[in-house]
Amino acid sequence: LDVPAAALAGVDLYVVDTGIAASPDLTVAETITFGTPAADAHGLHVAGSAAADDDSDGVVGMAPGVRLVSVAVLDARGRAT
């Protein structure tokens, strides 16, 4: 996927999962939490695959730099909370 960065400006990507842990490679604009979601790294992994910054450290997401909205709804077993 080769999308110019300008095309991603102003794009919000909602990640509905266990929540997104803090990472310097991600821009989390908002966090919405329902119930008691898991404190694991699955949501972070999903968010990184989608939107990790294009820098010299680690992986690059499919849409680097988009603003993320973390919607935490799943527990550690993948069940809705």
Side-chain angles (χ1 to χ4, degrees):
L1 185 64
D2 188 17
V3 178
L8 299 174
V11 173
D12 290 337
L13 176 65
Y14 286 71
V15 176
V16 181
D17 204 296
T18 59
I20 302 172
S23 170
D25 280 339
L26 299 173
T27 303
V28 180
E30 183 178 355
T31 298
I32 303 166
T33 303
F34 295 96
T36 307
D40 68 13
H42 191 268
L44 175 62
H45 172 82
V46 171
S49 296
D53 288 338
D54 188 1
D55 57 17
S56 61
D57 185 36
V59 300
V60 177
M62 295 296 293
V66 298
R67 288 185 315 247
L68 294 165
V69 177
S70 173
V71 184
V73 298
L74 301 178
D75 65 16
R77 298 176 82 187
R79 297 177 301 192
T81 58

